[in-house]
Structures are given as structure tokens and as C-alpha cells.
Amino acid sequence: MAILHGEYFLELIIIFILGLTSGSPLIKVFNLEDMELKESVILNGFSGILDDGQTGSKCDIGNSSCGFHDMKKLVLCEEELKGIGSLNTTCQLNTSLQFDNDVLITGEGNLEILSHVSVGCPFAGCLISINISGDLLLAEYASLLAGTLIVRAGNLFLQNNSFLKTTALGGAPPPQTSGTPLGVDGAGGGHGGRGACCIKSDGKDPEDTWGGDAYAWSTLTKPWSHGSRGGTTSREGEFGGGGGGRVKIIARSILNVNGSISADGGDGGLKGGGGSGGSIIIRVPKLKGTGTVSARGGKGWAGGGGGRIAISSYSREESLNIFVHGGESHGCTSNAGAAGTIFDSVLQSLIVSNNNLSTLTDTILLDFPTHPLWTNVFVKSCAKAVVPLFWSRVQVRGQFSLLYGGTLSFGLSHYPFSEFELMAEELLMSDSMIKVYGALRMSVKMLLMWNSEMQIDGGGDAMVGTSLLEASNLVVLREKSSIYSNANLGVHGQGLLKLSGSGDTIKAQRLILSLFYNINVGPGSVLQAPLEDAAKGDLAPRLNCESPSCPEELIHPPEDCSVNTSLSFTLQICRVEDITVDGLIQGSVIHVHRARTVAVNAGGLITASRLGCKGGVGKGHVENAGAGGGGGHGGQGGDGYLNGVSSRGGEVYGIADLPCELGSGSGNSTSEGTTAGGGIIVMGSMEHSLSSLNIFGYVRVDGESNHQAAGNQSATNMGGSGGGSGGSLLLFLHSLTLGNNSLVSSAGGHGGHVGGGGGGGGRIHFDWSNIPTGDEYAPLANVKGTIYTRGGMGSDGGHDGKDGTVTGKECPEGLYGIFCEECPIGTYKDTNGSDISLCQPCPPEEIPHRGTYISVRGGVTQPSCPYVCLSEKYHMPYCYTPLEELMHTFGGPWLFGLLLSGLLVLLALVLSVARMKIIGTDEFSGPVPPPHESQIDHSFPFLESLNEVMESTRTEESETHVHRMYFMGPNTFGEPWHLPHSPPHRIDSIVYEDAFNRFVDEINSLAAYQWWEGSVHSILAVLAYPFAWSWQQWRRRKKVQQLRDFVRSEYDHACLRSCRSRALYEGLKSVPATMWYRFIAGLNAYLRTVHRGCLRITLLPVINWLGTHANPWLSLHGIRVDLAWFQATTSGYYQLGLIVNETNEVAQPTSLPNMGGTMTIEELSNHQTVQWQGGQQYTAWSRRRIGGGIGGGIINLYTLPSLEDRKDFSFPIYLILRNARPVGHEDLVGLIISILLLGDFSLVLLTLLQFYSISLAAFLLVLFVLPLALLSPFPAGINALFSHVPRRSAGLARVYALWNVTSLANVVTALIYGCYYYQIQSSSRGPQNLHAWNFSTEESGWWLFPTTLLICKCIQARFVDRHIANLEVQDRTLYSNDPAKFWDS
């Protein structure tokens, strides 16, 4: 009878009918994986054939071998299940149940298994199938137990501590599998992973020993196999744990697991191995909870392997724990069972995780699907996976990750002759390892390694192919990650290869890195080929030690960058844009090909030291005495010496300009204690040079040093081996930078103790490509570090090795040296070559003395070396100053001076002719006495005119004139004239004091100057003193005129103006007017030469003249005249005047020494009296009161030495600017002044030009230290020379003289500045190379123009004084030495 349920009625009828037509009642139960769950239809009472849907095998339904026991009727909720409710609504199970055969539970409602209720069929392979439309709930501590559990529900909820369990209840594994181990080793059972085995077989590695084998790889995406039983340790019984069962869960919505779902293998204890985990299939849209899903291997003497889990869920919480790890092994705790597999059907990802249990047992990874490809593979948590099949390909679309101690092995350790492929988007390794036995072809986009290892064992067989690791985007090794191969290894990519830090290494016997954009070798990281034990094994690279020639592939390497074992390279970096080295790159023959830049930073090292030949072409010899000679290469090896026996060092070999030979050692390769020479480093090639090489660390190819003693075969004497010679460093490059403390070395090794000779230095060559010349030149190298090719030191009598060679490519014209630098300044090179001797000195006669050679970009290639002047003030091409250029334009300084002098004389003649034409000469033709009405210029030291004495027509009586008052003060803007307020005692009784004070106040107020007049004078005195002098004279005249107008218009001025004149007139009525006028003219002529600072000297001629010319003739009329001073003020100012005495005797001067006007002050001190005719003597007066109460004193030959004369800072000016006697020859004087004036102006211009050549500041300082002073004398002189009126000409000439004297300040400034500039500043520049003839150059004769100008101005001043005298004193007889001639005129 068939029990039909729900929707399956029609379908089952059809199947049944088909069965009847075949003659037997055959029932088809559809595949368990079908989402329609047709397996829920169970037939009872029929016999037939069941297809299990997995293996395709058929069996009798009633046979227990099919996994079913005798089936009973369909169970009901309240009857068989003893629950409450109905399966079509809600059925609650509150009583624990145990079935003894397969059970089917079906319905359209809900099923709830309440707390602490257990429902199970605890027999191996027993099936419980639940098919309900509603929800299945397992409350806390509820359980559902069977060998096979199949659950279909709307939702499935497992609360805390509830579980679905098939642990150790698995049925028989698939046939033809070896999941259960044989023998009594107590090994674990296998399924998803192999079972562990704690007994090591003889001759096998631990990795080759395992228990039960893995199976069901092909169905891991839909696993439905029972786990295997563990092995036993005794033949007396089966003590191994049972295999895990099977669980299939299909929910339409949610599976919430807070309990556990397990298909674990059973524990075997100490007498048996653990069973392997079973199979779990979960298909649900949402998978939630914090519980556990596991198919673990059981614990035992040896742990069982993990099972297999497949999950299909679009939403899964990370908090859910899924375990497939192997069981723990009591007999070998470090070797748990191998991990099983977890397959995510949605993500198409495989996970192999051993839950951090260490194991030596493998999880087998067989063929990977190709249609479709899996997305990701994760081997993690100490899982150990192996790809055992030869020529296998592991390919996924996404990541292949090895994490947390995961290990992936390719091939078998005892058969490392196969090749494997690994293809993925990314290979991520963290704390994990990949082992390859054979060769690996890897192709990924990114390879990221964190504290991980990749070991490739080629087995020492040269027939094994080269391993190629290709990562198109990124290769990063961090935290002591390493890639190791004892065979050939190629690492290719198109992005970045980065070894991040200490412990990160890539090592191989032969290593090729190619096609990366950038390679970064971080601090402490290593790129190395060959390995340290490179001499062992068939795959060790062969070094060409016996050939002195350069391998062709080092100079012209192949372009394909493939790993070619026939080539000489041990480590090649090919077609890489930028290489940065902070760590170590080490190899015997290192070649960098088709790279752009290489940077060796501080702490970085590229080395082939001690990796050259032991022996070789230049090997050092070893004599019986035991001391070895050093190897030779670029320099000869040092001889070894011991006990009087010398061992010859190795010979020099190789080509210095293209070195690519290995260094040689001492002895031969088979001797004990031998040393090796340096290896080879080649960067770039003839066709492809490095763009730049920047070294701030070290690049070394040094020979090996030996510090151990070596003995000969008889061991009678002990001697040290010689040092190895340096290797070869060949650099093809565009530019080089050697930073501070950097080192490029090919040094020989030191000889060993005792008597070993030092190794010879190696060879270093810089082969510059496309050396720029001319304007395109740029320095090829910036060298601040050290380049070292010294020979090694011998020990204890052994000789030192000779130094090696450092060479560069032959330099073009203008460049020299290893680095093709520009020839030193002042040299040129017109041939090719690098020797500095080819840079020849430039001809010294082709450069001016003020020129200096300059650097020319690309060097100087011709003898005519370029130069510039020492300063911008000098002009090319002869480096002359503007002044010198002017002089040399006219033939040099001498000819220029002659031409200038001639020109000045010619112009002066022209000016003189023009002056005579314009002015005429009749104005100066003869002596013309001044008219009586002429006004005397009070700016000169004249006495007030006495001419008016003889002209008085007043009728006033002299008795009415009681007293005469004098103005006090120098009449300056600071101290103007003034009258005292107290009236003289002589007039006290006849004046009203207040009226007198008002009169004095008005007079003093009128005599005072306005403040602005003094301000203008002060400003002009600073800016232009001649203007200040002219301003003062003008204001004085205006002031005198104002005083005269005031007195004449306001007061009866008879007593103020004419009392003296009337008094004198009364006393001089006996003197003819003409004689008096002549006397006054002669006296003023002599007084005009008196000046401050030299009063005693300049008054002496006046006193002598009075004694020789005036008094002898005036005495005939009863008159004697004495010179006197009057009214001295506190400021030291006093007035000069005359005292006229009446005498009744006629006196004639006696003969006195030097009375002709030539007696000096010193001679006067020896004469105390002067005798006149009649025997009268006059005693010398130093001071006396002059009649009338006026303070003053007589000035004569005896009082003159005691006359006070105060000097001030302007005293030197009076030596130049002073009145002189007329000399006549007006035309000649005018011509000389014209010449001096033109010369002055020319020298001024030349001086300004000279100082302009120094600097603009010097030019402005000299020109404007007194503004307008330097250039004004010329227009002032021209104006004075061409003035018509003599008196006006004299005034203009005085202005001209003042401008001339004022300009001396500018000239002195020029001398002071020039002294400072040329004597102090020029001393810091050292001696200059001056031509002897060039006396006017600034360095030696700068003072000529200012000094000449100073002298010219002084001479000019004296001639101007003569010119002024000619203009002001037109009567030359006034200075006649003959008194008769004077009076006759």
C-alpha cells in the first residue's frame, strides 16, 4: 500500500504505473538535492530499487545497506510522536523519543521540539526525514539525532544548546575509498581531509605519512558522503571513532542556529583513531545565529580528518561558527587530522580551515573546475593543503588566500620534477606558506605576503623548468616574508615589487626580476642570487673564472628578459623603470638592464663582494711554505711572504675601459682556506643606459679577506692565504650622484695571518652615454662620496696589493676626467680624451689685467678662452673704466693728456680773444684814482672812508658835537649790530634816559635781521656757500641803507654822523685835500691785504708803510697818523682805525732794520723803541686808553707782536682765498685763469667719470656732498671773466673764488672715499696684475685726477686773487716802494 501525501499523489501514481508496466513494482525516489523534496514520499510494504542520486547505484529498498531499516507507517503527532497537536497545524513534542529504524515526519503545519526533549535514531546510517510546510523549532537543550538528517521546512530555529546531530553515526563510506585506515596504527579516518597518523614509516617524511585518505572531492559542492571510522591500535577490537553522518537542511526563508548542527567524527580515545567528519548541506536564503555548524574530525590516538560542508545562502551572519577541522591527536599533539572543506555555493568559494590546530597531514586539492571557475579559495588557520597531481593547474577567478598559518603544497617532496600552475586575481598570504616541489607558473594580478614564505624546491635537477611568478599589478612582501628557490626563478610584473622591511627576501640560485614599473628593496630586505650554498647542487650557476674576456651578454644583453641558464647572470633586473634600494641586493653577477633610474639610499647595499672566483685568471700563488699571494685584477696582487719564501701575487688582467671580469682569489677552488675575488655588477648596456644612478649607500665588488691561517699539506708551516682581488663594476649611465658618506668600492681583500699578500684592487668604469657638449652640457656626476679601488693590505710581511683602476669614457673637447667635467677655468681642451693634462692653460696675453676667466658651459675648446671683467664697472673687451676707455680712444693716457692740454690751451686762447673782444682792454689801461663820491665795499678790511673829512660843508660848530657812538658786534645774522642801552657818562646830564633807551631800541630793532634771513643763510651755507656769502653781503647792504635812511629821516643826525668829520676837518685844515686823498688811497691799498688768522704778519706792511710813506710827508703839515684798534667785544671782534696826532716837528725816519716792509715779527721783538728826528722816543704800548674814553690801543712795531689773533677751523681757507696786490698783465692773468678754469672743468668731469666707474653711490657722494659746488665754478668763472664793469667783475670774481674754494670739500671727499675704497677694500682682493705703463689705472693711480684737481683749484684760487686785485686796484703806484713816486702820482 502506498501512503500518499498532499501534492505528490498524481506524480507517484504515474511512477507506480510505469513500474507495473515493467512487470515489477519499481519505485523511483528522486534526488535528495531536488528542491521539491520528492524523497519525502516513502513507500512501505513494497520492494524495489532505490537510486541514491549520488553514486548512481541501486539497491533493494528493504535492504539496510541502502541506509534504510524496515519502514513503518507514517508517524502521527499524538500517536507515534506522543506530542500535542497536529502536523498540519502545530505539533509540540514534549517527550523524548528513540526510533529503531528510518522515520518520516511530514505535514503542512509546524513542529516544535520542546526543551530537554530528544528525538533520535541512534544507529549508524539511520535516517530521519522531516518535511513540513511550517517552521521547525528546537527549543533549548532539545536534540534531533540520527545517522542521516534531512529537514525541509519553511523556517528552522535552533535555540541555545539545541542540536541536530549525526556525530559518529555515519554509515558506510562510498565504495572504492580508503577513508578507514588499515592496520593497528590507530590512525584517523579520512574524508574531506586525511586522517592523521602518529607512527612514522621508515624512509618517509612526516608529510608522506597519513591515516585514512580523503575522498568525495568531486562532490564537495554537494557533499553527501558519510565519514570514515578511525583505525584501531589493537586487533582485539575496533576502537576507532565512527565517521560523521549526513545532514541536509533546506528552508524556504530562515535558518537561525543558536545551537549546533554537527556531523563530526567520533572520538577514538587512546586506543583508536578519530573518525572523520561527515557531510552537511545547507540551502537557505538567510542563515543567522551564533551557534555552530561542524563536520569536524574526531579526537583519538590520531585525529580524524574533517568532513565537508556546502552552504548555499545569500545572507549569512559572521557570528555563526562553521568548523571542518581535523581531530586532535593524543599520540602526536602537533599533528592533528587534516581540515575538511567548506564550500559556499553562492560565492563559489572553497575554505579549508583547521581552526588553528597544527597538523602535518594534508587536505587534498584535486582538479579545479574550469566551467565555471571557482571565485575564491581560502586555506587558513593552520590548514595544510596539497595539490598532489603532476602538471596540475589551480585556477580561480578571485582570491587565493593563505591565512593564519595555512600551508599550500604543490607536488610531492620525494618527486620534485613536475610543473604546476596557479592562476588567480590575487594571491594573499598572511602567516602562511606555499611549498612547491618542482616548478611553479604563477599568474596573478596581486601577490601580497605578510610574514609568509614561498619555497620552491627544484630538486637539484637542471631539467626542471624555471619557476615564473607573474603579478601584473603588485607584489608586496612584509613582515619577514620570503620567496625562496633553489633553482631558477623569474618574477615578472607591470606594477610595483616591494620588499618592505627587515626579513623580506627573494632568494634563488638564479633570479630574474623584470617588467616592473618600480622595485623597492626596503631596509633590511634582501634580493639574492645565488644562495649561500651556491657551490652545491646541480643548479648552482657556473662562473666563467678561467676566461679573461668579457661575456658578450654583459655588454649586449638579450632584449626578452627571459631566464636563460646559459647566460652569465645570477641576478638580473630587466625592463624596470625605477629601482630603489634601502636593503641588500647580492649576487655573483648582477645585471641591471633597461632600467631608467637606480637609487641606493643610505643604508642600502648592492654587492657582489666575495662572490667571484676562487682561483681564476689572476689567482694568487701558494708556495709550500703556506703563505699565499693575493689575487690580481685591476692591480697586481701582493706577494705572500713566510719564512723567507715568497709567493707571487696574481697578475693584472682585463680591460680598464670596459671591465666585466670576475675577480680572482688566492689558491685554487679545491684548496682549504682559499679566498674569492669580487663579482661583477653591470648596470645598463651599450644600447640602453641608465638615466640616472643615485648612490647614498654602498655599491661594492670587493675581494674576500682571509683572517684565518692556512697550512700546506704537510702542515709543517702555517701561513695565511692571500686576499681576493676586487671585481668589476661597469656602469652605462647618463648621470651619477654620489651622496655624502656613500661608497663605490672594488677593493682587494686583506691577506690572512701569517704572511698573506693583499689582493689587488678591481676595476670601475663609468661609460657615459650621449655626453652633452656646448650649450647643452650638464654635469654628469655630483660626487660627494668615495670611489675606492685600493689594494688589500698584506699581513705580517706579506705585501700590499696594488690599487685597481677607475676610468671613464673618453671625453669630448672641453671636458676631462672620469666624470667628463669642464676643464678648469683658465684652461682649454681641443682634443678627445680624459686626462687632465689635455686641459692646457689659456694664453695669458689674451686676457686684460682686469679680466678673469669664466666657466663656459661644456668647457672651452679653443685657445681663445672667454673672460669677463672683474666688475660691471669695467667694459669689455679690454676691461677699461669709462675714463680709461676715453683715454685709450685717443691713443692712451700720455697722448690723451697731451691732446687735452693742447685743447685746453686752445680753448683758453679762444676765450681770451673773445673776452678782449667783448670787454676791451681800455678799462684797465692806467691808474685812475677813485672818485670822491665812491662807496667803499665794507666786505673788505678797509677803514671807513676818510675822504668825506675834507668835503664837509656843514656850518655846525664842532663844539656842539659832544660824543660819537659806535655800533657793536660783527654784523652777522646771529650777532647783528647793536647799541648799548646805557648812555655814555659824557652825555648822561644832557639826555633823557628813557628817550635814549627808546632811540636805542628802535635802532637795535632796525639793525636786527629777520629769522628767515638767517635761515636762508644757514641753508645756503650748507648747500652752496658762495650763495650764502652773496646773500649775506646783500642783506648787509640793505641793512646799512635802512639804518642811514632811518637816521636821516627821523633825527637830527649831526652829532651821529659828522662830529668826527668836523673835528678832523678842523685839525686837518693845513693838509691839502689831494694829499689826504692820496694818503687814504694808499692806506686802503695796504689794508686790503690784511686777513684773519695772520693779522700780525699782514699788518706789518701797513705799519711799515705808515712809517716810510705816510708820516714823513704828513709830518710836513704837522700831522702824524697811527694805526689803532677800538672797542673789542666779548666775542673777540674789534675795529681798526687811525689816530691822528698833531705835531709841530718835521720828522724824517731814521734808518731802521727792515723798515722797508720786510721786517718780521721775530725781528720786531728785538727792537723796543723807534727813534724819529728830533730824538723823540716812543715806548711800546701793549694796551692803553685812547682819549675820549674809547677802549683800544695803538698798533705799532712794538705792540704788534702782542696783538691777539684768534684762529678757527676756516683758517686754511684764508691761506688760499685772500686779497693780494695787483700784478698787472690782465690779459695774461685772464688767459691763465681761462686755462685753469677749463682744466678744472675737465678734471671735474674726468674725476666724476672715474668715480662713476666705481659705483653710482661714489659718483653721487662726490657730486653732491656739497650740492652744486663741484660744477658751479665753471659757470661762475665764465660769468666773472666776461663781465664788463670792473667793480662788478670784481664782485663776480669773488663769487667765482668762493665757488672754487667751496668745491675743495668735494675734492677732499673724493680723496677720502678713494683712499678707503682702494686701500682698504682693494687689499681684500689681493694684488692685481697691473701693467707697468698704466699709471692712471684705478688700482694704482686713482689719486691722480683728484689730486691734480686739488692742486689746480689751489693755483686757480691764487690767480683769481691776483685777478681781483687787478680789478679792484687799478692804480699800481699805490704799492710803489718809492715814496716820492707814490706822492707824485
Side-chain angles (χ1 to χ4, degrees), residues 647-667:
S647 300
R648 182 164 50 86
E651 300 296 331
V652 175
Y653 62 95
I655 304 173
D657 290 336
L658 202 63
C660 49
E661 310 87 13
L662 291 164
S664 299
S666 177

Side-chain angles (χ1 to χ4, degrees), residues 74-94 97 105-106 110-112:
L74 179 66
V75 296
L76 300 176
C77 176
E78 294 182 349
E79 297 179 1
E80 289 83 4
L81 298 180
K82 299 179 182 182
I84 299 174
S86 171
L87 291 172
N88 291 323
T89 57
T90 297
C91 178
Q92 294 181 337
L93 303 182
N94 54 10
L97 299 175
I105 300 174
T106 182
N110 304 318
L111 177 62
E112 298 180 359

Side-chain angles (χ1 to χ4, degrees), residues 816 823 828-840:
Y816 82 101
C823 280
Y828 72 96
K829 177 172 168 284
D830 54 3
T831 59
N832 293 335
S834 300
D835 199 300
I836 191 173
S837 62
L838 298 176
C839 296
Q840 304 177 25

Side-chain angles (χ1 to χ4, degrees), residues 185 197-211:
D185 295 336
C197 181
C198 293
I199 297 177
K200 180 181 177 181
S201 301
D202 295 337
K204 292 185 177 181
D205 295 330
E207 292 85 352
D208 295 334
T209 302
W210 60 85

Side-chain angles (χ1 to χ4, degrees), residues 523-557:
S525 55
V526 179
L527 290 177
Q528 179 180 332
L531 305 175
E532 287 81 357
D533 56 350
K536 303 176 183 179
D538 293 335
L539 294 183
R542 306 290 182 180
L543 299 179
N544 190 11
C545 291
E546 301 304 323
S547 174
S549 61
C550 182
E552 182 67 20
E553 61 269 16
L554 292 179
I555 310 301
H556 304 284

